């Protein structure tokens, strides 16, 4: 079996975006009536650093999604909040009211998160149009798929605690269950 050691992270505390927009003003030269306000916050992309990944047949070395089974070599957030019971892990997670297409599906959106490995290790980063906030994703299952598309590893996404920070992070998790899509 695969021994996965993993470090997935969203890299930030839910309350602390990495970047935030300043005050919106009119675009230079814009003379129309519209006046945009609000904020845009940037939370981190996903970064990963893993070992013990599937090297079978070299399929995940440079994945060709046209010929591989669905989800081959994939790394995805799934809807479930457990890694204990397969039936409860659920399908891909995204907020369908904000991101209409499954960002984790093969090809449909033109993007799917995957790992590429020759020796069972992989690292990198990716963004996914989940429509989800960090707190939406907190507690959900991160799934690693093998070269045949099967699920080979699972970890729950937890609040990041910097080394030495033993504060209890009590974020509330107020997503609406009707609000996300699964496949
Ligand atoms: Cu998956």
């Amino acid at each position: 079996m695969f021994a996965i050691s993993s470090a997935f992270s969203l890299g930030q505390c839910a309350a602390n975006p990495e970047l935030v927009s300043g005050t919106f003003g009119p675009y230079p030269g814009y003379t129309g009536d519209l006046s945009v306000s609000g904020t845009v916050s940037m939370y981190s992309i996903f970064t990963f650093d893993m070992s013990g990944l599937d090297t079978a047949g070299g399929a995940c070395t440079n994945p060709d999604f046209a010929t591989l089974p669905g989800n081959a070599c994939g790394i995805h957030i799934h809807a479930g909040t457990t890694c204990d019971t397969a039936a409860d892990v659920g399908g891909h997670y995204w907020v369908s009211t904000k991101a209409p297409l499954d960002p984790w599906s093969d090809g449909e959106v033109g993007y799917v998160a995957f790992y590429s490995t020759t020796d069972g290790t992989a690292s990198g980063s990716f963004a996914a149009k989940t429509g989800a906030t960090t707190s939406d994703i907190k507690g959900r299952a991160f799934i690693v798929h093998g070269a045949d598309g099967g699920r080979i590893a699972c970890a729950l996404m937890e609040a990041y605690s910097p080394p030495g920070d033993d504060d209890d992070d009590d974020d509330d998790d107020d997503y609406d269950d009707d609000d996300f899509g699964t496949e």
Side-chain angles (χ1 to χ4, degrees), residues 9 16 30 43 46 56 69 71 80 87 91 107 121 125 127 140 164 168 174 179:
S9 68
N16 295 308
Y30 176 70
Y43 292 86
F46 293 85
N71 295 316
T121 68
S125 63
R140 295 191 190 278
D168 196 26
D174 61 352
D179 210 35

Side-chain angles (χ1 to χ4, degrees), residues 71 74-78 92 104 143-145 151:
N71 295 316
I75 44 179
H76 314 137
I77 298 291
H78 281 234
H92 298 162
W104 310 106
I143 304 303
V144 178
H145 293 263
R151 302 176 185 188

Side-chain angles (χ1 to χ4, degrees), residues 62-87:
N62 186 12
D64 177 0
F65 298 113
T67 58
L68 289 170
N71 295 316
C73 319
I75 44 179
H76 314 137
I77 298 291
H78 281 234
T81 56
T82 181
C83 286
D84 294 332
T85 305

Side-chain angles (χ1 to χ4, degrees), residues 14-151:
N16 295 308
E18 294 187 338
L19 297 173
V20 63
S21 62
T23 304
F24 281 99
Y27 188 81
Y30 176 70
T31 57
D33 294 334
L34 298 173
S35 177
V36 174
S37 62
T39 57
V40 176
S41 301
M42 194 202 89
Y43 292 86
S44 188
I45 58 174
F46 293 85
T47 63
F48 62 94
D49 184 4
M50 298 178 287
S51 59
L53 296 163
D54 196 354
T55 59
C60 294
T61 298
N62 186 12
D64 177 0
F65 298 113
T67 58
L68 289 170
N71 295 316
C73 319
I75 44 179
H76 314 137
I77 298 291
H78 281 234
T81 56
T82 181
C83 286
D84 294 332
T85 305
D88 294 336
V89 173
H92 298 162
Y93 174 73
W94 76 102
V95 180
S96 59
T97 52
K98 296 178 183 170
L101 298 175
D102 177 359
W104 310 106
S105 72
D106 304 329
E108 294 263 328
V109 192
Y111 190 81
V112 58
F114 64 93
Y115 59 87
S116 179
T117 183
T118 55
D119 62 359
T121 68
S123 61
S125 63
F126 62 89
K129 294 177 182 174
T130 62
T133 65
T134 302
S135 64
D136 289 333
I137 290 172
K138 183 184 168 190
R140 295 191 190 278
F142 196 101
I143 304 303
V144 178
H145 293 263
D148 63 359
R151 302 176 185 188

